[in-house]
Amino acid sequence: MTNVIIHGCNGKMGQTILELLKEEEEIKVAAGVDAFDEGKNPFPVFSDIRTCDVSADVVIDFSVAPAVDGLLQYCVREHIPCVLCTTGLSSEQLKKVEEASKETAILKSANMSLGINMLMKLLKDATAILAPAGFDIEIVEKHHKLKVDAPSGTALALGDSVSEVLGGEYEYVYDRSGRRKQRPKKEIGFSAVRGGTIVGDHDVIFAGADEVITFSHRAYSKAVFAKGAIQAAKFLKGRPAGLYDMSDVIGC
């Protein structure tokens, strides 16, 4: 049995995880953490994880960036592994994640879905063939109107998969509105769309002379991310300190 703490238990993703866990026999929710709680959950809920006094095997985090610093402090102090799913972290926070991973197991992923992580692997193969052939690379992502960070963490992760193959020589470009010149060869363009209730759409476009190849992923519900987080929690229990990602979970 894996006992978990849901960090951000009353948010949309936290509630999605709790619904899925009702069908799970291998995982039990030991506690939740959320700044806002109405006492409706059948487990104790703390406003700050640093005040949590319930033991657990793993923390699953779907919260907000400002709450991550306290989360990392808690996980290091208690030596509890953490599935870190919150996006939009600052460069300083990312350094803190690396430091924390030296003390406890941290699994960080911009996107928890199996499909996205398989797509990252496919992109590396495509980039090795298409980039040297002169194909331009663009990434377009679409999310609901409430999402505050842009481009999405998933879009950046897809870009990083491409950039890794290219030796980091390509520049990331987020805005061309003030530029009046031809597109340079060595750049990866990012475009962000925000509207409605779009769960998450990502297109990676390889545009060549007279042909275009597009890799697409569509998420139709938040359940795909919750399922991945649950699998990651099972994987992370008992793991030694280190920084893991979903490729470790799915064995890519």
Side-chain angles (χ1 to χ4, degrees), residues 18 20 32 42 53 58 80 114-116 138 146-147 149 157 161 163-164 176 203-204 206 213 215 231 237 250:
L18 291 176
L20 291 177
D53 59 3
V58 184
I80 295 179
L114 175 64
I116 281 290
E138 296 284 317
L146 300 179
K147 187 171 180 62
D149 55 315
S161 294
S163 182
E164 181 181 332
R176 295 190 177 101
D203 294 321
V204 182
F206 291 86
I213 300 171
F215 291 83
Q231 292 303 313
K237 177 184 177 181
I250 63 178

Side-chain angles (χ1 to χ4, degrees), residues 12-13 16 20 111-116 142-144 196-203 216-227:
K12 291 183 178 179
M13 282 305 306
T16 301
L20 291 177
N111 191 297
M112 302 302 296
S113 82
L114 175 64
I116 281 290
K142 305 173 186 177
H143 284 87
H144 54 85
T197 59
I198 302 171
V199 175
D201 290 2
H202 292 85
D203 294 321
S216 299
H217 180 272
R218 303 283 182 267
Y220 293 102
S221 81
K222 295 179 182 294
V224 297
F225 313 125
K227 289 177 182 177

